[in-house]
Amino acid sequence: AVRIAAGMSTPSGVAAAPGDNTRLFVIERTGKIRIIKNGVLQVPPLLNLSSGIISSGYDQGLLGIAFHPDFAQNRLFFVNYTN
């Protein structure tokens, strides 16, 4: 394992958007989506859903992100979370 960034809370997944080779989207189980751009953690988070997500259990929280195939044009993405 290689650390690519610090300063996140309970990262649970990482994804890259189609056609975007400069950013990684990191999901935190607590409800935030963070961006690492060219190796630097961006502030503030892209999205913060923490007020509506309970993440105290093993299978709870923000669990996934998926990008629309035309993300570069329409900027749509989908998240999977449980309470």
Side-chain angles (χ1 to χ4, degrees):
V2 175
R3 181 182 294 231
I4 59 171
M8 291 175 277
S9 173
T10 63
S12 58
V14 63
D20 187 344
N21 61 0
T22 63
R23 299 183 297 173
L24 290 174
F25 295 77
V26 180
I27 58 170
E28 295 179 342
R29 204 167 55 90
T30 55
K32 293 179 184 173
I33 298 176
R34 309 293 300 268
I35 295 177
I36 299 174
K37 184 174 182 178
N38 296 319
V40 178
L41 182 64
Q42 304 296 294
V43 177
L46 171 67
L47 185 62
N48 186 350
L49 302 170
S50 60
S51 65
I53 292 178
I54 299 169
S55 60
S56 59
Y58 178 74
D59 287 336
Q60 291 179 319
L62 184 56
L63 303 174
I65 185 171
F67 294 92
H68 189 281
D70 294 324
F71 176 77
Q73 288 77 36
N74 63 24
R75 310 311 256 183
L76 293 175
F77 62 92
F78 309 90
V79 296
N80 175 33
Y81 66 91
T82 62
N83 276 337

